[in-house]
């Protein structure tokens, strides 16, 4: 018998069980769970913020493409549709998720490559030679830190590090202190990958602009889990992955956002044939395509971007406002369970307590949590992830996660602490 099948015998367990059932009954998005593969199994999946579940329509979408698109149209597909897919899906992503008008978002490459392009393009757009500092924080995702360190080394730039509180995240006040006449570009994540802290994107963007600098936002943990208004906030550049809350699948391509005001004058550093004004002209010399298409480099990963269209359709139907509302309820319930079961066993909450200050995951720290703890949970079909040195991260994907699933998974974590 797996942990999920064991009865919750404790009195507090009964009360929480009743609460989970009631929350699921009241959930206006509950029916969307049935669109995902595996939600009818005993698996408690608490890692949708790392890799989202596939939609039930995805196998047929991909099979139909192989039969009819790839198999039926063959190379004609490039002229008929495929060349336009990166921007067409990018525009849908911008409309449904990012708060971005058409022509500013494109699907391409990996997050690492997209961030490299955006940072280098932003730096090239800075005309003042005295602006030679890159600003980032110590708690940002490793790829972001490594990229900026490498670019600074290549360009002879200075890194200015913000010492971020792991549980509180980067604030506008910290940016005000860290930026000034020497700042060129600031790179930040909207949601801290470890703690789940939700940065104040509009306020921080305004602060960076007040300093005369440009900002690049990493939206990997926010796209599809919180409401975003890139255009409204005047964001310069943004990037993110599509395999978390957008359910594009392992290794699905990333997205790049470039504000319209920058597109006409910007040059990205990785020149490839798909970013040229006429990819099939095969002419000498590189002339970039106009607009966001100029941020392409190599051949688009068509198969890798097909799956996310199903999720974007669901998001447009459900609305990001409703998805965010459920996300806040899911994390609030997870914190309620933490207070009842895990805090008395010596665990700490490494995530802001206010739902409005966090994304769609929480992190629980305990001296006894190790990689082996998570491995044993995985063996029992409870799937969170481990965050060194002693954290278990509980990711809750609003369209596919139920309140009952959260309760059962956290019951298993409690039981590990009791053992």
């Amino acid at each position: 018998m797996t942990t999920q099948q064991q009865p919750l015998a404790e009195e507090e367990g009964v009360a929480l069980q009743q609460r989970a059932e009631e929350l699921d009954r009241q959930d206006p998005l509950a029916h969307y769970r049935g669109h995902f593969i595996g939600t009818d199994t005993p698996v408690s999946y608490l890692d949708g913020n790392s890799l989202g579940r596939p939609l039930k329509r995805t196998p047929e979408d991909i099979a139909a493409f192989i039969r009819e698109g790839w198999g039926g149209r063959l190379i004609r597909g490039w002229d008929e549709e495929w060349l336009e897919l990166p921007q067409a899906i990018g525009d849908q992503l911008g409309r449904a998720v990012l708060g971005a008008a058409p022509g500013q978002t494109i699907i391409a490459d990996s997050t690492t490559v997209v961030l490299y392009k955006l940072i280098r393009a932003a730096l090239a757009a800075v005309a003042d030679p005295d602006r030679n500092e890159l600003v980032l924080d110590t708690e940002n995702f490793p790829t972001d830190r490594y990229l900026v360190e490498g670019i600074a080394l290549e360009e002879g730039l200075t890194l200015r590090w913000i010492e971020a509180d792991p549980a509180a995240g980067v604030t506008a006040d910290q940016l005000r202190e860290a930026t000034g006449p020497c700042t060129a570009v600031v790179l930040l994540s909207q949601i801290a990958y470890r703690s789940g802290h939700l940065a104040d994107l509009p306020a921080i963007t305004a602060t960076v602009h007040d300093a005369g600098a440009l900002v690049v936002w990493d939206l990997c943990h926010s796209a599809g889990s919180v409401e975003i208004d890139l255009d409204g906030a005047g964001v310069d550049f943004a990037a993110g992955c599509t395999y978390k809350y957008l359910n594009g699948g392992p290794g699905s391509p990333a997205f790049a956002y470039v504000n319209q005001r920058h597109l006409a004058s910007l040059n990205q550093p990785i020149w490839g044939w798909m970013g040229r004004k006429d990819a099939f002209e095969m002419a000498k010399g590189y002339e970039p395509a106009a607009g966001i298409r100029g941020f392409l480099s190599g051949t688009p990963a068509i198969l890798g971007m097909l799956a996310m269209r199903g999720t974007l359709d669901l998001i447009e139907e459900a609305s990001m406002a409703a998805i965010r509302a459920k996300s806040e309820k899911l994390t609030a319930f997870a914190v309620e369970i933490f207070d009842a079961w895990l805090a008395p066993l010596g665990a700490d909450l490494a995530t802001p307590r206010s739902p409005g200050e966090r994304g769609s995951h929480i992190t629980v720290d305990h001296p006894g949590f190790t990689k082996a703890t998570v491995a044993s949970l995985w063996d029992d079909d409870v799937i969170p992830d481990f965050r060194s040195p002693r954290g278990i991260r509980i990711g809750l994907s609003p369209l596919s996660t139920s309140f009952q699933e959260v309760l059962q998974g956290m019951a298993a974590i409690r039981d590990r602490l009791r053992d």
Side-chain angles (χ1 to χ4, degrees):
M1 179 178 290
T2 67
T3 301
Q4 293 86 338
Q5 297 168 320
Q6 294 171 1
L8 302 175
E10 301 86 346
E11 290 184 7
E12 69 270 22
V14 172
L16 287 169
Q17 175 70 44
Q18 293 172 343
R19 178 153 170 71
E21 292 170 357
E22 181 63 20
L23 286 167
D24 279 329
R25 281 194 297 271
Q26 295 175 350
D27 176 17
L29 302 184
H31 64 286
Y32 286 102
R33 181 170 161 83
H35 286 275
F36 293 87
I37 292 173
T39 53
D40 56 351
T41 72
V43 172
S44 179
Y45 190 50
L46 306 180
D47 208 6
N49 61 320
S50 287
L51 178 66
R53 290 181 182 270
L55 287 168
K56 290 179 178 177
R57 65 173 270 188
T58 299
E60 178 52 33
D61 285 349
I62 293 177
F65 172 78
I66 293 172
R67 288 193 309 267
E68 300 157 17
W70 181 7
R73 302 311 299 159
L74 298 168
I75 201 169
R76 293 173 291 186
W78 285 114
D79 290 333
E80 294 168 355
E81 180 189 21
W82 304 344
L83 282 175
E84 305 307 318
L85 277 181
Q87 189 166 340
I89 298 176
D91 282 345
Q92 185 181 15
L93 174 63
R95 179 178 68 246
V97 176
L98 303 180
Q104 300 176 104
T105 309
I106 199 155
I107 310 298
D109 310 307
S110 67
T111 306
T112 302
V113 174
V114 167
L115 280 172
Y116 179 82
K117 289 180 177 182
L118 293 176
I119 296 166
R120 290 296 301 265
L123 286 169
V126 176
D128 185 349
D130 291 333
R131 290 189 175 274
N132 57 10
E133 290 186 353
L134 290 166
V135 177
L136 69 162
D137 68 283
T138 55
E139 293 298 314
N140 211 335
F141 191 75
T143 274
D144 302 59
R145 291 185 274 114
Y146 303 158
L147 272 174
V148 173
E149 288 172 331
I151 291 170
L153 186 63
E154 290 172 351
E155 298 295 313
L157 302 173
T158 299
L159 294 181
R160 183 175 291 276
W161 293 92
I162 294 173
E163 295 289 337
D165 182 331
V170 178
T171 67
D173 286 341
Q174 287 177 307
L175 261 297
R176 200 167 289 111
E177 293 178 4
T179 54
C182 293
T183 308
V185 175
V186 176
L187 171 65
L188 296 170
S189 288
Q190 187 180 14
I191 293 178
Y193 80 100
R194 189 181 188 283
S195 71
H197 171 265
L198 174 62
D200 189 340
L201 181 147
I204 289 175
T205 298
T207 299
V208 173
H209 289 166
D210 287 345
L214 299 172
V215 65
V216 180
W217 283 99
D218 182 333
L219 307 180
C220 283
H221 282 89
S222 53
S225 70
V226 301
E227 292 181 273
I228 303 170
D229 185 4
L230 294 180
D231 286 355
V235 167
D236 299 298
F237 312 100
C241 63
T242 62
Y243 46 77
K244 300 181 189 295
Y245 300 106
L246 302 179
N247 309 95
S252 58
F255 63 85
Y257 163 90
V258 179
N259 193 292
Q260 185 68 44
R261 66 179 179 272
H262 294 303
L263 281 172
S265 59
L266 212 63
N267 291 309
Q268 63 98 348
I270 304 179
W271 294 358
W273 75 309
M274 280 291 170
R276 197 180 186 280
K277 68 173 187 178
D278 184 345
F280 290 95
E281 187 179 11
M282 308 295 182
K284 294 180 179 179
Y286 183 79
E287 297 180 63
I292 192 65
R293 186 168 187 85
F295 269 76
L296 288 178
S297 298
T299 305
I302 302 301
L303 276 172
M305 69 177 73
L306 290 177
M308 75 183 78
R309 289 197 296 186
T311 296
L312 292 175
D313 289 345
L314 292 185
I315 290 173
E316 289 200 281
E317 179 181 293
S319 85
M320 274 308 308
I323 289 168
R324 174 58 175 161
K326 181 175 178 183
S327 168
E328 291 187 352
K329 289 180 181 178
L330 282 167
T331 58
F333 185 51
V335 171
E336 183 180 343
I337 299 168
F338 165 84
D339 287 336
W341 283 349
L342 305 184
L345 296 174
D348 297 315
L349 185 66
T351 300
R353 282 192 165 269
S354 171
E357 296 178 3
R358 61 180 179 243
S360 206
H361 70 265
I362 70 167
T363 297
V364 178
D365 285 343
H366 190 280
F369 287 159
T370 65
K371 289 183 179 179
T373 307
V374 171
S376 72
L377 288 166
W378 285 20
D379 287 342
D380 281 344
D381 283 342
V382 174
I383 309 177
D385 66 5
F386 181 71
R387 281 293 170 259
S388 181
R390 56 175 199 158
I392 288 182
R393 193 175 64 171
I394 298 165
L396 309 172
S397 188
L399 288 178
S400 61
T401 305
S402 70
F403 293 90
Q404 174 68 19
E405 188 175 12
V406 178
L407 180 67
Q408 297 290 7
M410 293 187 70
I413 295 172
R414 172 205 60 188
D415 293 345
R416 292 306 188 281
L417 287 178
R418 285 178 172 176
D419 289 346

